[in-house]
Amino acid sequence: MADIKTFLLPDLGEGLPDATVVEWHVKEGDTIKLDAPLVSMETAKAVVDVPSPYTGKVVKLHGAAGDVIETGAALAEFEPDPNAKQRAEAEATGHHHGPKKAEAAPAPAPAPAPAAAKAEREDEGTVVGAMVSGNTVHVEQAASIGGVKAVPAVRALARKLKVDLARVRPSGADGVVTMQDVKDAAANGSAALGAAPARAVPASAGRHLAPELPQPEPQRGPVSLAGKPVRTAPPSVTASGQPEQLKGVRRNMARVMADAHAQVVPTTLVDDADLHAWIGKQDITARLIRAIVAACKAVPALNAWFDGKSLTRTLHPQVDIGIAVDTDDGLFVPALRNADVLDAAGIRAAIKRLRAQVEDRTIPASELSGYTISLSNFGMFAGRYATPVVVPPTVAIVGAGKLSHDVVAVIGGIEVHRRMPISLTFDHRAATGGEAARFLKALLDDLALPN
């Protein structure tokens, strides 16, 4: 009887209890070589390739594209080739098959740990929170499948947008299909799955070139109080929807937000920053970050980590700001490192780089952890005040609302000033109300400066 080996889904270096199957690179009955791409899996941070642990025949694949596989559960079964060199059973592969046993962890050090300590797994912040994460950075490489070269993240995007990669014209080096290639193909409809081949249409043509399918006439029924007809459904039809399992980033976000709600004692202060004295056009985000740095220096208690179990607090000499980035896949919070030593140009360049890496899902896991305070600039879309979520181990998060022109009282009358609503949520276990109020005042004072 053949010796069948079961391969369990390893911890992919994210510290998460599961991952989602994006694409199998083999099918049952195929022969695969050791370390060849076996499957692409989506975690909370990236789409990564899982290599084959054996050379031999693929006997069984557990799960189809879109299925969630728990860490440590069966992923695939193999019949190893007895004549081929295999990896030794005890040989390290860079992964392990389950969560690390709980142990008492020392309070985080404010300065970078020694190289020896970095080799150990540690509690790190993720896209929206803190969890165990490895220090290995998985670099996505373009694999040629079906004659098409693309990284797993691009293949995942193509599946999401229903784009046939085989019909996309690659623009990357060495014929690699890029994220932009897939987006352009989706926009002009030139590579839709299942569609007949069509001549290329420029990406700038937009979606409106796609043929419009005839839509059924909406059912008309009774009139409204305004005397206009309203759409209705038959009395026997009730509202319903299809449950959708959260995956990847959104799945992790749900877990982390629930943990934050259970652990933190949040309190929010709000006020308005008066920008009336600003001279000329200024970078609002850069000014916000500069003001946060000034407040952190004035009141270090909020630029800190707090361990609720051991009741220990770590104040940080540097200011690493987690910048919330909203995407269709969920929330990412990349860290703007050493914001306290960057000028406006450096801040803008760093934010542009981080945002591009988030959008392309190429950002390293190390860039999504370890920030000391957070910023949510939700006012770019809408909203004045908010109660942003403080995610352990951080102590505070600043929320910036939508800019407005308000009538304010001044000596001798009234004036119209441009103002920015500011919300500060902090963990009341780690900071007092007085510390939070002084932090907010220092932030507002810096934003009020002319330049």
Side-chain angles (χ1 to χ4, degrees):
M1 182 175 178
D3 182 20
I4 303 299
K5 296 287 187 179
T6 300
F7 177 47
L8 309 181
L9 175 64
D11 182 340
L12 300 176
E14 307 288 336
L16 297 178
D18 52 45
T20 304
V21 177
V22 174
E23 179 180 23
W24 288 102
H25 301 313
V26 295
K27 60 182 181 296
E28 293 179 359
D30 284 354
T31 298
I32 192 171
K33 293 186 178 295
L34 177 69
D35 292 331
L38 173 67
V39 61
S40 296
M41 305 291 293
E42 182 181 19
T43 69
K45 297 177 182 176
V47 178
V48 297
D49 277 337
V50 178
S52 171
Y54 303 103
T55 292
K57 180 181 178 182
V58 179
V59 176
K60 183 176 179 59
L61 302 177
H62 293 270
D67 288 349
V68 177
I69 309 295
E70 293 185 358
T71 300
L75 184 62
E77 296 177 19
F78 298 85
E79 181 182 331
D81 183 349
N83 299 318
K85 183 179 179 180
Q86 307 286 355
R87 181 180 291 114
E89 293 292 336
E91 185 178 343
T93 63
H95 304 298
H96 61 81
H97 292 281
K100 195 174 75 168
K101 294 181 180 179
E103 56 182 330
K118 287 185 179 180
E120 300 178 359
R121 295 175 58 81
E122 57 192 12
D123 194 23
E124 295 180 342
T126 67
V127 292
V128 286
M131 59 181 57
V132 178
S133 172
N135 294 310
T136 302
V137 176
H138 299 270
V139 179
E140 295 183 359
Q141 296 183 347
S144 179
I145 301 174
V148 178
K149 293 183 180 179
V151 299
V154 171
R155 296 182 185 278
L157 178 64
R159 180 175 288 104
K160 180 178 180 180
L161 299 180
K162 294 181 171 50
V163 169
D164 184 356
L165 280 177
R167 298 170 60 193
V168 176
R169 177 174 296 180
S171 65
D174 198 26
V176 174
V177 177
T178 67
M179 286 280 190
Q180 192 58 48
D181 295 337
V182 173
K183 292 176 182 177
D184 290 345
N188 61 40
S190 62
L193 283 173
R199 55 194 181 91
V201 180
S204 59
R207 295 179 183 271
H208 64 278
L209 291 182
E212 294 187 0
L213 296 177
Q215 299 297 322
E217 184 69 20
Q219 188 172 359
R220 297 291 181 179
V223 296
S224 67
L225 293 178
K228 296 182 179 181
V230 296
R231 294 183 180 89
T232 64
S236 60
V237 176
T238 58
S240 63
Q242 181 65 36
E244 177 184 1
Q245 188 176 50
L246 296 182
K247 300 172 184 177
V249 179
R250 289 188 182 275
R251 190 178 183 89
N252 181 59
M253 182 177 68
R255 290 195 189 101
V256 174
M257 290 301 175
D259 289 343
H261 178 74
Q263 296 178 34
V264 174
V265 181
T267 303
T268 301
L269 295 178
V270 299
D271 208 330
D272 295 292
D274 195 316
L275 316 182
H276 187 64
W278 281 18
I279 299 174
K281 185 177 180 180
Q282 299 192 38
D283 188 324
I284 295 174
T285 301
R287 284 296 304 265
L288 260 173
I289 291 173
R290 192 189 81 177
I292 293 174
V293 169
C296 288
K297 291 180 179 179
V299 187
L302 275 71
N303 185 47
W305 287 344
F306 181 72
D307 187 332
K309 293 182 179 179
S310 62
L311 296 181
T312 55
R313 183 179 69 167
T314 303
L315 304 182
H316 298 283
Q318 82 282 1
V319 182
D320 294 340
I321 303 178
I323 309 292
V325 177
D326 181 63
T327 73
D328 291 340
D329 295 323
L331 180 67
F332 287 78
V333 185
L336 177 62
R337 304 292 184 191
N338 301 311
D340 49 315
V341 297
L342 295 177
D343 59 11
I347 289 172
R348 177 51 56 190
I351 290 177
K352 184 177 180 180
R353 172 181 60 82
L354 292 172
R355 185 175 293 277
Q357 290 179 330
V358 165
E359 290 175 351
D360 289 343
R361 296 293 295 272
T362 58
I363 188 165
S366 59
E367 295 291 334
L368 295 167
S369 62
Y371 43 87
T372 61
I373 191 170
S374 303
L375 168 64
S376 176
N377 194 4
F378 60 85
M380 295 174 59
F381 306 107
R384 288 180 65 84
Y385 308 104
T387 55
V389 177
V390 176
V391 179
T394 58
V395 170
I397 178 171
V398 175
K402 185 177 181 180
L403 289 171
S404 62
H405 287 84
D406 300 332
V407 175
V408 299
V410 297
I411 297 177
I414 60 173
E415 293 180 353
V416 175
H417 289 192
R418 185 166 66 151
R419 302 202 300 176
M420 180 191 299
I422 299 292
S423 303
L424 171 65
T425 299
F426 65 100
D427 188 343
H428 217 325
R429 300 174 302 167
T432 68
E435 288 171 328
R438 290 191 293 273
F439 180 96
L440 182 56
K441 183 179 185 304
L443 189 151
L444 297 176
D445 287 346
D446 190 87
L447 282 174
L449 296 175
N451 48 43

